[in-house]
Amino acid sequence: MKFILNIQYKTLYVLLSLIIISCSKEDPEPINEEELITTVQLTFKAPGITDQIVRWQEGSNNSDAISLAANTQYEVGIIFLDESDPSDIEDITEEVKEEADEHQVFYEFSQLNIGLEQSSSDTLDSNQNPVYINSLWNTSEVGSGTVRVYLIHEPVTKSSSTRDGFAGETDVAVDFLITIE
Amino acid sequence: MPLKFFIFPLIFLLCFKSIQAQNCNLKISGIIKDLHDSSPIFGAVVRINGSDILTQTSEDGLYFFNQICPGKLIFVVEHSNCNSVQREVILSENTTLNFTLEHHINELEEIIISDNTLKSLKGSAKESRLNSDQINKYSSQGLADALNTLAGVSTLKTGNSVAKPMIHGMYGSRVGIVANGIRLQDQEWGADHAPTIDLNSFENIQLVKGASALKYGGDTPGGIIVLSPSKLILKDSLFGQTIINASENGRGGSISTKIMKTTSDGYYVSSQFSGKQFGDLLAPEYILSNTGVKQMNISLKLGRSKILSGWEVNYSRFQNEIGILRGAHIGNIQDLLRALKTDVPLRIDPFTYLINSPKQEGVHQNFHFTYFNQTSNKVKWQLDYNYQANTRKEFDIRRGIPASTPAIDLKLQTHNFLVNLKWKTKFSMDYEWGVNGILQDNYSNPNTGVKRLIPDYLRYQMGSYFLGAYSPSNSFSWDWGIRLDQNTWDVQKFYNVSDWEERDYAVLFPDFDVQQFGNKLLVNPKLNFLTLATQTGISIILGEQFSASLTYVLSQRSPNASELFSDGLHHSLATLEYGSLSLEKEISNKILLNFSKNKGRFKGTLEPYVSKISNYIFIGPTGIEQTIRGAFPVWQYDTTNASFWGVDAGVDYTFSEQFTFDINASYTYAQDLINREPLISIPPFNSSQILKYTSPKKKFDLELVNHFVSFQNRFPEMNFTVNTLQDGLIIEELVDISTPPSAYQSIDFNFSLYFNLIKQSTSSISFIVNNITQTKYRDYLNRMRFYADDIGRNFQLQFIFSY
């Protein structure tokens, strides 16, 4: 019996100390959300035309419209940013470039005839496939429509002409309106 | 003692006897059970004092007398391992007399106070149970799979390895799991959290439908699953069991071994180990990539049990790693639509044992100390302390972050104290009173780099219960219970400033402390819930073959952590799920009936139930949120009023000693009374039929099982649309996540050969085939049904060695 009582006291002591430990709870730290992409920014460059920058920013719920000239070749660059903390803006594009094999940028156009081409300044993955971080857009006739910009994570294939063909998970899918004049 | 005290009853008895003497044809029968776990006791001697009439119980614990004369008789039940029990009975008609025996130690002769209260509480709300043979069969699977064989229990799955038991259409916090007398605290709120408990360390599983086991909590309107370890044999012995399973599907297997040493002076020590590993499972037509599983458990137990007092220290550790189907990881609803449109998962890799992201890792540790003391032969008290530490990590496919960093990393610690007092009075009344204190601490690791799904919190619960049982005769019992719990939450949670304002929380909860960090608020919600539970039931035995019971249960449940605080993206369905601080307690009223025919060639049970729940907490779509991944449906926890009814039925027909045929079926109806639509994820009508052949002398048996699951035609519509681009045009497409899959049928086969490796211990070899016909099906209650077929045929070999 003494033995048992001894055990009980000891357990009680352990219990009490456990409770005291668990009761003194500290304030939780704010989490630095690491993979967050809040902003997609496209830059359009063409000879003789002023550079155009459009942004889609989370929370603002509307994107800038893109206006392009007909029958022109544009060099289009895309960057992904984490602007959740305005004092510490992070460029996620670097991570995408580093993991080029696991990523694919893709543009899908509606009601527009824009030819998409590989750019010589683009990042290539280990199989020499373009990631389309930099790409060439060839406009033709006048019109208006939408472009949907995708960042695809772990696509099943790196060469497809449709979003469905790539499979994988969608990390970014945002729409911009385009007018071609 | 004065002589007249003897003579009077004697004369009375003689008179009585002489009047009725011509009618000596009464039949007396009954069952002898173990007091601790209600298992039948084989080989107990039942005799009538003062005569040479005696019989022995069968393997099922049954005994039978016929040609007994009416009058006052004293029945004595004896067994070599137990204290004998005597009961005086006045007989005038055919009677059923059941006894419970307590295993004893030689030097002590006091009779222990019986566990009747608890047992009859379970008795009135009809319980179903699984014995060790049935549990062994599911050794390589989980608790939910084993329970699924009982009528009224379904399984809510996420793939094949994450399975939660569902009772009467309820799961998670509405179903309690009790192991060694303490509620399992394993973040049961999540639909994709399987109970972190190893089936192999238990020998008896009871299912209590309704919430009538108030000792374990009054907040489970679905029911309670009680797992008990093996019973003690208080003599010098050493025994064990090893189960080995090998499966073709998944190219894996499991091993489980346990060993127990007992001594005649009451000491016992036991240990158990089990492990399993499976690679990718196979659907009939393809590999289910990344569905492997690894699991390892140990448990150790040391204790001493004397009749009047005893103690036990118990430690167990459960660890698993479960792969989640790779093709089910999606980024947005367009991805979901793509998955829904194809018959085959979007990603199929070659077979592997490797488990990659997405996956879950869980560790559950359980420490338990218990002490009981019987201060007189009428009073027994018990003290329990239990500590559980549950860690859960979920790994997602992520960018720029090592694969070893989890996206969810939670540690839930729970301290549980229980003091229980049982006493017996005259008038066949038993009482039980207890106090239960719970302290729970949840810690959400900030190093995940992902917003906390469940915040840090402390939860204090203090509960007290009072139970009673009145059983004046063997054919009638009445029981009742009441339980009161106070639940206090002390939470520290970050909210986005915009969310906090949008939901009006600043106005609704002005007293909560708030601290601002950039665009985030650290809020300290303090919530209180007082819940009451009551239950009462009667059970009667009607004649030789029939019994019936009626139970009413009121249960109240305070919202769980997920319902209150969920905050973020749910990857498996591409939904944003939000909890609500405004939720109030859920109140359920339930009536259960049971009719049974327990004897004869044709046996059966019919269990209808009906319940009404006010403030029923559910999650449903409320809108669309625009994110950088496109539009996401927003699901928000809310309350409604709901009604449930259903019937569980079982029929058992014995053609001959060799052939038996069983049918189990259950139906559940659940309706949202405010929104006037069916509730989501309610099991459709399902039935299983079992044809069994047992060879003479039980050398082997053959079993053919047919499962049928019908189409669930009652479902709420939760569909939404997504804009996709096709051939240069924007098209609005419907994402149908509501329509349940078609009905299906699958057939299992089982052949078992029995032999004795050593005396008195039966070992067996079984050959099992599941889904013989390679039926291609998807189950409404499997959340992976959007992405892939359920698993195909599996050949399994099982060896059970008892020694």
Side-chain angles (χ1 to χ4, degrees):
Chain A
M1 194 63 199
K2 252 188 177 168
F3 168 66
I4 289 164
L5 278 176
N6 231 331
I7 286 182
Q8 277 178 302
Y9 281 132
K10 274 181 188 160
T11 342
L12 213 64
Y13 177 76
V14 172
L15 299 192
L16 283 174
S17 40
L18 276 172
I19 292 163
I20 290 159
I21 291 163
S22 46
C23 275
S24 55
K25 214 164 161 65
E26 284 174 20
D27 277 5
E29 298 170 35
I31 287 178
N32 173 29
E33 289 184 54
E34 285 168 16
E35 290 164 289
L36 211 59
I37 298 175
T38 63
T39 308
V40 176
Q41 182 175 311
L42 294 175
T43 310
F44 295 84
K45 286 181 186 175
I49 300 173
T50 327
D51 288 0
Q52 185 183 177
I53 293 175
V54 292
R55 288 162 68 87
W56 192 103
Q57 205 174 357
E58 190 146 79
S60 69
N61 272 2
N62 44 34
S63 55
D64 301 330
I66 302 165
S67 67
L68 302 176
N71 300 311
T72 311
Q73 185 174 67
Y74 285 90
E75 165 103 43
V76 183
I78 189 166
I79 56 169
F80 305 99
L81 301 171
D82 174 5
E83 299 183 319
S84 58
D85 182 358
S87 63
D88 179 25
I89 293 171
E90 253 181 278
D91 186 359
I92 308 289
T93 326
E94 290 310 308
E95 281 175 19
V96 175
K97 285 180 186 165
E98 275 165 33
E99 294 180 1
D101 284 357
E102 281 89 54
H103 287 94
Q104 182 68 49
V105 174
F106 181 63
Y107 298 99
E108 222 174 13
F109 300 98
S110 88
Q111 291 170 309
L112 286 172
N113 190 11
I114 295 178
L116 187 65
E117 258 178 60
Q118 190 172 344
S119 157
S120 56
S121 61
D122 196 11
T123 307
L124 299 175
D125 71 7
S126 60
N127 295 315
Q128 305 306 308
N129 292 311
V131 184
Y132 284 123
I133 287 175
N134 290 318
S135 56
L136 298 174
W137 293 19
N138 297 305
T139 61
S140 49
E141 73 264 30
V142 170
S144 67
T146 309
V147 61
R148 185 166 289 183
V149 181
Y150 292 102
L151 175 63
I152 303 164
H153 191 210
E154 300 204 0
V156 171
T157 166
K158 295 281 274 185
S159 53
S160 168
S161 57
T162 63
R163 169 65 191 92
D164 283 359
F166 285 108
E169 292 95 43
T170 307
D171 274 356
V172 167
V174 293
D175 292 355
F176 290 92
L177 289 173
I178 302 184
T179 46
I180 301 177
E181 284 155 353
Chain B
M1 194 182 283
L3 197 63
K4 63 177 180 183
F5 278 103
F6 263 120
I7 289 173
F8 184 73
L10 209 67
I11 291 169
F12 180 79
L13 201 71
L14 282 171
C15 294
F16 202 76
K17 258 196 148 169
S18 60
I19 294 162
Q20 305 266 332
Q22 68 275 26
N23 199 14
C24 283
N25 59 359
L26 295 185
K27 290 174 180 146
I28 313 297
S29 62
I31 183 162
I32 313 293
K33 287 182 176 178
D34 184 295
L35 191 148
H36 293 297
D37 62 359
S38 299
S39 62
I41 294 179
F42 167 58
V45 175
V46 185
R47 58 185 178 82
I48 296 170
N49 219 1
S51 76
D52 51 6
I53 303 170
L54 61 86
T55 184
Q56 249 187 325
T57 53
S58 67
E59 274 181 45
D60 307 324
L62 299 169
Y63 73 93
F64 183 72
F65 291 116
N66 48 22
Q67 297 185 326
I68 301 294
C69 302
K72 192 180 206 175
L73 298 173
I74 296 168
F75 284 83
V76 182
V77 185
E78 290 163 332
H79 188 265
S80 57
N81 278 339
C82 307
N83 284 316
S84 63
V85 168
Q86 283 194 19
R87 194 185 296 169
E88 198 175 273
V89 185
I90 297 168
L91 287 175
S92 58
E93 55 185 4
N94 293 342
T95 306
T96 307
L97 288 174
N98 298 330
F99 295 88
T100 50
L101 292 186
E102 160 77 6
H103 286 102
H104 78 140
I105 304 168
N106 298 333
E107 62 260 40
L108 292 160
E109 280 175 8
E110 289 87 345
I111 294 170
I112 196 162
I113 185 167
S114 96
D115 246 336
N116 271 337
T117 314
L118 184 60
K119 214 173 302 163
S120 52
L121 280 170
K122 289 176 199 153
S124 72
K126 192 65 181 179
E127 58 173 286
S128 315
R129 65 169 63 238
L130 293 172
N131 61 29
S132 55
D133 290 346
Q134 289 158 306
I135 294 170
N136 288 345
K137 213 168 137 182
Y138 291 90
S139 170
S140 65
Q141 287 158 285
L143 174 66
D145 296 291
L147 285 164
N148 202 10
T149 54
L150 298 172
V153 184
S154 324
T155 316
L156 183 74
K157 288 187 168 185
T158 302
N160 193 60
S161 304
V162 180
K164 285 176 89 73
M166 198 175 197
I167 305 172
H168 292 166
M170 298 183 196
Y171 64 92
S173 299
R174 296 187 180 100
V175 170
I177 296 175
V178 172
N180 293 317
I182 297 284
R183 274 280 278 282
L184 186 68
Q185 304 283 349
D186 63 344
Q187 311 182 32
E188 73 292 337
W189 52 71
D192 56 354
H193 299 185
T196 48
I197 194 152
D198 181 24
L199 195 64
N200 293 299
S201 40
F202 300 93
E203 283 213 344
N204 196 329
I205 301 176
Q206 287 161 280
L207 170 72
V208 191
K209 294 172 185 171
S212 52
L214 293 186
K215 185 177 177 178
Y216 306 124
D219 58 349
T220 54
I224 281 193
I225 295 155
V226 183
L227 298 116
S228 324
S230 58
K231 64 175 182 201
L232 296 174
I233 298 173
L234 298 180
K235 58 183 184 182
D236 283 311
S237 71
L238 177 70
F239 53 96
Q241 189 182 54
T242 299
I243 304 174
I244 299 170
N245 282 292
S247 287
E248 169 258 356
N249 196 335
R251 302 185 212 170
S254 71
I255 180 162
S256 168
T257 183
K258 54 187 161 194
I259 191 152
M260 185 161 195
K261 164 85 187 140
T262 58
T263 69
S264 59
D265 56 354
Y267 283 105
Y268 57 92
V269 54
S270 79
S271 72
Q272 181 257 341
F273 165 84
S274 68
K276 76 170 170 189
Q277 178 160 19
F278 284 88
D280 291 338
L281 297 169
L282 266 70
E285 288 165 3
Y286 44 80
I287 294 171
L288 298 166
S289 283
N290 204 44
T291 53
V293 59
K294 270 188 238 174
Q295 190 177 310
M296 201 163 84
N297 323 290
I298 55 161
S299 69
L300 301 163
K301 190 157 64 179
L302 170 70
R304 186 177 191 193
S305 176
K306 300 189 282 181
I307 291 298
L308 292 178
S309 67
W311 57 268
E312 183 184 300
V313 183
N314 190 332
Y315 170 79
S316 65
R317 186 177 191 281
F318 173 99
Q319 180 173 12
N320 68 5
E321 187 179 350
I322 301 175
I324 304 294
L325 183 73
R326 183 60 182 79
H329 190 85
I330 51 172
N332 69 0
I333 49 177
Q334 210 178 330
D335 295 351
L336 173 64
L337 180 69
R338 193 177 319 116
L340 288 175
K341 277 185 181 169
T342 58
D343 276 346
V344 174
L346 290 168
R347 190 155 165 164
I348 297 176
D349 299 324
F351 173 88
T352 174
Y353 286 101
L354 286 177
I355 301 171
N356 292 313
S357 298
K359 64 174 180 177
Q360 304 180 353
E361 281 180 15
V363 176
H364 189 93
Q365 294 187 84
N366 193 321
F367 170 82
H368 191 123
F369 172 78
T370 179
Y371 175 77
F372 72 88
N373 197 325
Q374 187 173 334
T375 49
S376 76
N377 64 351
K378 300 255 180 244
V379 182
K380 180 183 176 183
W381 63 272
Q382 183 171 340
L383 182 85
D384 285 277
Y385 166 72
N386 177 279
Y387 169 70
Q388 297 178 49
N390 185 286
T391 57
R392 181 183 175 80
K393 291 179 183 171
E394 292 184 16
F395 298 82
D396 264 337
I397 295 157
R398 306 177 67 176
R399 170 174 22 81
I401 286 167
S404 58
T405 308
I408 293 177
D409 186 351
L410 297 170
K411 182 169 190 180
L412 183 72
Q413 298 178 82
T414 312
H415 302 271
N416 215 312
F417 305 89
L418 183 70
V419 180
N420 187 64
L421 194 65
K422 262 188 260 193
W423 71 99
K424 220 177 187 171
T425 63
K426 290 169 188 171
F427 320 115
S428 314
M429 207 61 175
D430 288 1
Y431 296 104
E432 199 165 349
W433 174 80
V435 181
N436 186 194
I438 293 172
L439 171 68
Q440 190 166 70
D441 177 348
N442 186 59
Y443 171 70
S444 192
N445 190 340
N447 299 330
T448 55
V450 176
K451 191 160 73 167
R452 292 174 177 90
L453 193 68
I454 301 288
D456 287 7
Y457 70 78
L458 284 175
R459 182 173 73 86
Y460 309 88
Q461 185 183 339
M462 190 52 104
S464 183
Y465 54 88
F466 187 43
L467 319 169
Y470 174 63
S471 39
S473 75
N474 277 306
S475 58
F476 176 81
S477 74
W478 170 56
D479 56 70
W480 50 266
I482 182 162
R483 181 177 173 123
L484 206 61
D485 282 281
Q486 169 73 38
N487 246 303
T488 304
W489 295 82
D490 183 353
V491 188
Q492 284 175 309
K493 174 166 164 58
F494 286 98
Y495 282 89
N496 287 334
V497 175
S498 55
D499 289 345
W500 184 256
E501 283 164 2
E502 201 175 288
R503 293 176 214 171
D504 245 2
Y505 283 164
V507 180
L508 291 168
F509 308 102
D511 300 339
F512 294 167
D513 286 343
V514 174
Q515 240 180 303
Q516 186 145 5
F517 292 83
N519 60 352
K520 296 225 160 56
L521 291 178
L522 175 60
V523 187
N524 180 209
K526 289 198 164 110
L527 302 167
N528 276 301
F529 298 95
L530 182 68
T531 57
L532 170 78
T534 60
Q535 78 91 29
T536 187
I538 52 168
S539 95
I540 46 174
I541 292 169
L542 305 156
E544 263 185 88
Q545 300 192 326
F546 296 95
S547 64
S549 71
L550 169 70
T551 311
Y552 161 76
V553 189
L554 162 76
S555 60
Q556 299 185 342
R557 182 177 75 86
S558 55
N560 65 33
S562 166
E563 293 160 343
L564 291 166
F565 312 116
S566 267
D567 193 354
L569 179 64
H570 211 285
H571 269 289
S572 70
L573 270 184
T575 50
L576 289 163
E577 297 192 354
Y578 293 113
S580 167
L581 282 177
S582 314
L583 294 176
E584 291 184 29
K585 66 186 177 189
E586 187 177 278
I587 301 164
S588 149
N589 287 279
K590 189 170 189 175
I591 293 172
L592 299 103
L593 269 166
N594 173 284
F595 305 101
S596 305
K597 182 175 181 295
N598 307 314
K599 286 202 184 110
R601 291 203 136 187
F602 176 81
K603 291 180 208 152
T605 56
L606 187 69
E607 295 178 284
Y609 63 91
V610 57
S611 72
K612 172 139 194 307
I613 303 183
S614 39
N615 271 336
Y616 180 83
I617 301 170
F618 72 106
I619 189 162
T622 54
I624 291 280
E625 199 172 301
Q626 196 67 39
T627 76
I628 200 134
R629 296 183 193 194
F632 273 77
V634 175
W635 290 42
Q636 169 98 42
Y637 280 100
D638 200 357
T639 57
T640 184
N641 293 336
S643 78
F644 284 76
W645 64 264
V647 184
D648 302 332
V651 171
D652 191 340
Y653 187 77
T654 309
F655 291 99
S656 68
E657 280 202 13
Q658 268 65 58
F659 279 101
T660 58
F661 185 59
D662 287 8
I663 303 178
N664 276 323
S666 60
Y667 176 75
T668 310
Y669 173 98
Q671 177 82 355
D672 178 335
L673 297 174
I674 292 178
N675 301 313
R676 292 170 194 276
E677 60 178 8
L679 290 174
I680 199 168
S681 296
I682 297 300
F685 169 80
N686 58 84
S687 167
S688 63
Q689 304 93 44
I690 305 163
L691 182 67
K692 187 172 182 177
Y693 170 81
T694 310
S695 77
K697 292 185 186 168
K698 290 191 178 170
K699 290 268 184 233
F700 66 90
D701 58 37
L702 290 162
E703 213 175 63
L704 205 57
V705 188
N706 180 42
H707 303 279
F708 169 74
V709 178
S710 77
F711 170 70
Q712 177 57 285
N713 56 356
R714 291 181 40 78
F715 59 90
E717 148 111 44
M718 306 253 171
N719 297 339
F720 42 84
T721 55
V722 58
N723 288 329
T724 61
L725 271 77
Q726 275 178 17
D727 304 324
L729 291 173
I730 295 180
I731 293 170
E732 192 170 86
E733 284 194 84
L734 182 74
V735 184
D736 180 3
I737 55 158
S738 311
T739 311
S742 332
Y744 69 89
Q745 195 169 356
S746 77
I747 298 168
D748 297 347
F749 168 80
N750 190 346
F751 168 76
S752 300
L753 192 68
Y754 301 96
F755 57 94
N756 289 343
L757 214 59
I758 61 157
K759 257 188 210 168
Q760 289 173 338
S761 297
T762 308
S763 297
S764 68
I765 296 179
S766 303
F767 176 63
I768 301 160
V769 193
N770 298 110
N771 194 2
I772 292 181
T773 54
Q774 283 274 40
T775 302
K776 214 178 114 179
Y777 69 95
R778 297 189 182 201
D779 191 286
Y780 180 49
L781 298 178
N782 191 335
R783 290 159 70 103
M784 288 294 129
R785 72 175 189 277
F786 302 113
Y787 309 103
D789 291 334
D790 238 288
I791 68 165
R793 183 167 49 215
N794 178 32
F795 295 99
Q796 188 188 342
L797 262 178
Q798 182 177 66
F799 305 90
I800 301 177
F801 304 110
S802 302
Y803 38 85

